[in-house]
Amino acid sequence: MTFGAPFGRIFAPPFSPRTAAPASGGWWLAGGIAPANCVAAYQAKGAASYATSLVNLANPGTYNATEGDAPDWDAVSGWKFNGSSNYLDSGVVPAAGWSMIVRFSNVPAAQKSVCGCTGTPRFYLRPYHLSTQRVYGYGSSALLVTTTISTSGVMALVGGDSGFYDGVNEGSVNFSFTTTTSHVFIGKGYDQFFGGYVQAFALYDTNISSYISALTTAMNAL
């Protein structure tokens, strides 16, 4: 496809050394996560171009993100999703015990899931729900719902363990997880589209609870 004005994309200067970090030591491995456990990692903020932002930094060429409906992009704020149709597809089908983490900003007043699967079992993150809550969706029927919203920050879901916001453990998501066929999406989850910016996202096939603090710090430094 053509990466040009119709989608409002802005092209940035060439890669900085930080953005071009090798798969053996990028922000997605902060704290000492084994490279084999990071299934996919994407960095929209600071990427050299929109096309580069879709590359899976953990394993370029495998699970590069594809467009469902392309978001806008700029190197300063990352992907901008419109809240009604934009989303990206990681191509990855998660399993029980998997984890994901996302940095986002500028969420409008609406019920929106920033990332995750569609349908059940639940596997999604929703920073703004019913004007008073943020939600960690995991498993066939249960949710962790907090009593505050967030319009920016870093949310993480550690499947079969906990939900984290800005590095703080907010409670258990230790619920049963049945087989899913849904891919993990960025810009939508549990049948809702996201409005706002996403700076970075990573997906793991293991429990990352012991690395959340380091990951949150590394993502906020982008």
Side-chain angles (χ1 to χ4, degrees), residues 27 32 43-44 49 69 75 88 100-101 105 116 124 129 140 143 164 173 176 179 195 205 207 218 221:
W27 58 262
Q43 182 180 330
S49 66
D69 180 47
L88 298 172
M100 62 181 167
I101 188 168
S105 63
Y124 69 87
H129 177 71
S140 57
L143 303 171
F164 294 82
V173 290
S176 64
T179 302
D205 65 2
N207 184 311

Side-chain angles (χ1 to χ4, degrees), residues 117 119-124 136-143 157 177 190:
C117 296
T120 55
R122 294 172 173 88
F123 188 75
Y124 69 87
Y136 301 82
Y138 181 84
S140 57
S141 61
L143 303 171
L157 175 66
F177 190 94
Y190 202 55

Side-chain angles (χ1 to χ4, degrees), residues 41-118:
Y42 312 100
Q43 182 180 330
K45 177 179 171 61
S49 66
Y50 170 74
T52 302
S53 75
L54 304 180
V55 173
N56 177 7
L57 297 172
N59 191 3
T62 300
Y63 294 129
N64 287 352
T66 59
E67 297 171 330
D69 180 47
D72 286 342
W73 169 85
D74 68 75
V76 174
S77 300
W79 296 311
K80 182 182 181 182
F81 296 92
N82 64 9
S84 60
S85 63
N86 296 161
Y87 72 95
L88 298 172
D89 185 351
S90 72
V92 180
V93 176
W98 282 38
S99 306
M100 62 181 167
I101 188 168
V102 62
R103 178 183 165 190
F104 60 91
S105 63
N106 294 82
V107 180
Q111 297 183 58
K112 302 295 180 181
S113 299
V114 62
C115 58
C117 296
T118 59

Side-chain angles (χ1 to χ4, degrees), residues 161-222:
D161 192 328
S162 305
F164 294 82
Y165 175 67
D166 280 348
V168 177
N169 189 329
E170 298 208 286
S172 174
V173 290
N174 188 18
F175 310 118
S176 64
F177 190 94
T178 56
T179 302
T180 182
T181 58
S182 172
H183 293 175
V184 176
F185 301 104
I186 306 168
K188 74 173 182 177
Y190 202 55
D191 306 317
Q192 291 187 339
F193 290 95
F194 177 69
Y197 287 95
V198 170
Q199 287 79 40
F201 172 86
L203 180 68
Y204 303 87
D205 65 2
T206 190
N207 184 311
I208 61 168
S209 58
S210 60
Y211 307 106
I212 292 296
S213 178
L215 274 171
T216 299
T217 298
M219 293 178 84
N220 278 327
L222 294 174

